[in-house]
């Protein structure tokens, strides 16, 4: 496994090598598999994709991190089209963590995903989240972006919703909270993200041919619904167990997919 970056989403002067090393140590410790930190200097998505293709054959899957989101999506599309090794992005991991927090929040409010109305504010910034929410059973999703504000103010859009996922900080900032009886989730609510990344990369070791498609991401999100969403510390030993739970859930889905 490898954790890869070109640093395009990091502030100037950040030590990219140290950032990747720390990330690799965390994921390797949780997944109990070797993870290689790898810097690929590239001026565009094509160069970054070429660098990932050129990685050694023993690299079974890649986490692409600290890369500008539009570039990461382009690299992911290009590698999927060429059937290269499976690649996970920061956006995928964030979406999984938020989907897990959403399903968990609805359940704690006595609501099922099916039949609940969810507003996704800033949907354009995390396109994979809409597909993932639908896969988890949320069938009533209202997407909203800042460009809609003059015609459709957000405070009108959220009226009557069961849950709001606020990706752009339009609502008062606080991790998973109640706002006038409405549950609001923000980008702070991604405590499950490390276990998602580690569990999926670990699954790639045990399930050669695994592709990180929406059904696999869904299985990961469902397995993580009991993890504190706002990043409250989880004992490392428990983190290893949670990671293994994700790996087992994902490999089980993989082995039951029709193509298997």
């Amino acid at each position: 496994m490898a954790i890869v970056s070109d640093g395009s989403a990091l502030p100037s002067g950040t030590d990219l090598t140290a950032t990747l090393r720390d990330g690799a140590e965390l994921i390797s410790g949780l997944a109990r598999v070797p993870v290689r930190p790898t810097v690929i200097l590239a001026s565009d998505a094509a160069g970054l994709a070429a660098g990932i293709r050129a990685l050694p054959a023993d690299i079974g899957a890649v986490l692409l991190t600290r890369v500008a989101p539009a570039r990461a999506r382009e690299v992911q599309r290009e590698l999927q089209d060429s059937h290269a090794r499976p690649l996970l992005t920061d956006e995928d991991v964030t979406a999984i963590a938020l989907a897990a927090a959403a399903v968990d929040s609805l359940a704690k409010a006595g609501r099922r995903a099916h039949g609940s109305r969810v507003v996704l504010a800033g949907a354009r910034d995390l396109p994979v989240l809409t597909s993932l929410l639908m896969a988890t059973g949320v069938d009533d999703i209202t997407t909203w972006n800042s460009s809609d504000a003059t015609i459709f103010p957000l405070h009108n859009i959220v009226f009557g919703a069961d849950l709001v996922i606020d990706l752009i900080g339009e609502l008062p900032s606080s991790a998973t909270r109640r706002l006038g009886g409405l549950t609001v989730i923000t980008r702070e609510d991604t405590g499950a993200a490390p276990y998602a990344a580690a569990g999926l990369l670990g699954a790639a070791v045990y399930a050669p041919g695994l592709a990180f498609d929406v059904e696999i991401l869904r299985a990961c999100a469902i397995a993580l619904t009991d993890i504190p969403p706002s990043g409250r510390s989880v004992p490392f030993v428990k983190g290893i167990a949670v990671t293994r739970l994700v790996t087992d859930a994902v490999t089980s889905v993989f082995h039951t997919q029709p193509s298997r």
Side-chain angles (χ1 to χ4, degrees):
M1 306 298 112
I3 178 170
V4 172
S5 183
D6 63 0
S8 56
L10 285 174
S12 177
T14 302
D15 187 340
L16 178 56
T17 300
T19 298
L20 291 184
R21 184 181 62 244
D22 291 345
E25 288 178 358
L26 173 62
I27 292 171
S28 179
L30 289 171
R32 320 308 284 175
V33 297
V35 178
R36 186 179 307 174
T38 305
V39 175
I40 297 177
L41 299 180
S43 60
D44 56 20
L48 184 52
I52 293 171
R53 285 196 196 92
L55 289 172
D58 64 342
I59 300 297
V62 168
L63 172 63
L64 191 61
T65 186
R66 305 298 196 272
V67 175
R71 180 180 292 189
R73 288 194 292 269
E74 188 175 344
V75 170
Q76 191 174 47
R77 284 193 298 269
E78 183 171 338
L79 293 178
Q80 284 174 341
D81 291 344
S82 62
H83 304 289
R85 56 173 62 86
L87 181 141
L88 192 68
T89 69
D90 279 344
E91 286 197 343
D92 295 327
V93 174
T94 298
I96 290 166
L98 290 172
V103 172
D104 185 56
S105 294
L106 289 170
K108 287 176 178 174
R111 304 284 300 180
R112 287 186 170 187
H114 178 72
S116 294
R117 178 170 172 251
V118 174
V119 175
L120 183 50
R124 189 179 297 125
D125 292 352
L126 194 61
V128 67
L129 182 55
T130 302
S131 299
L132 186 51
L133 287 170
M134 292 175 64
T136 61
V138 179
D139 54 0
D140 187 355
I141 302 172
T142 301
T143 60
W144 185 92
N145 294 288
S146 297
S147 57
D148 301 322
T150 55
I151 302 175
F152 304 108
L154 183 58
H155 67 268
N156 289 344
I157 298 297
V158 303
F159 182 78
D162 296 292
L163 178 75
V164 176
I165 302 177
D166 181 11
L167 299 175
I168 50 180
E170 285 289 322
L171 299 173
S173 60
S174 177
T176 307
R177 62 214 181 273
R178 304 283 301 177
L179 180 68
L182 176 67
T183 300
V184 182
I185 289 172
T186 74
R187 284 185 180 271
E188 296 174 11
D189 298 312
T190 53
Y195 315 112
L200 285 166
L201 290 180
V205 172
Y206 302 109
L210 176 70
F212 296 139
D213 58 31
V214 70
E215 285 303 312
I216 293 298
L217 302 191
R218 173 193 175 279
C220 181
I222 296 301
L224 290 169
T225 52
D226 288 331
I227 300 304
S230 57
R232 294 187 294 275
S233 61
V234 172
F236 197 74
V237 172
K238 181 180 178 181
I240 293 172
V242 170
T243 299
R244 185 66 205 188
L245 181 67
V246 170
T247 295
D248 289 346
V250 165
T251 54
S252 177
V253 168
F254 171 72
H255 288 303
T256 58
Q257 286 178 329
S259 59
R260 297 293 101 205

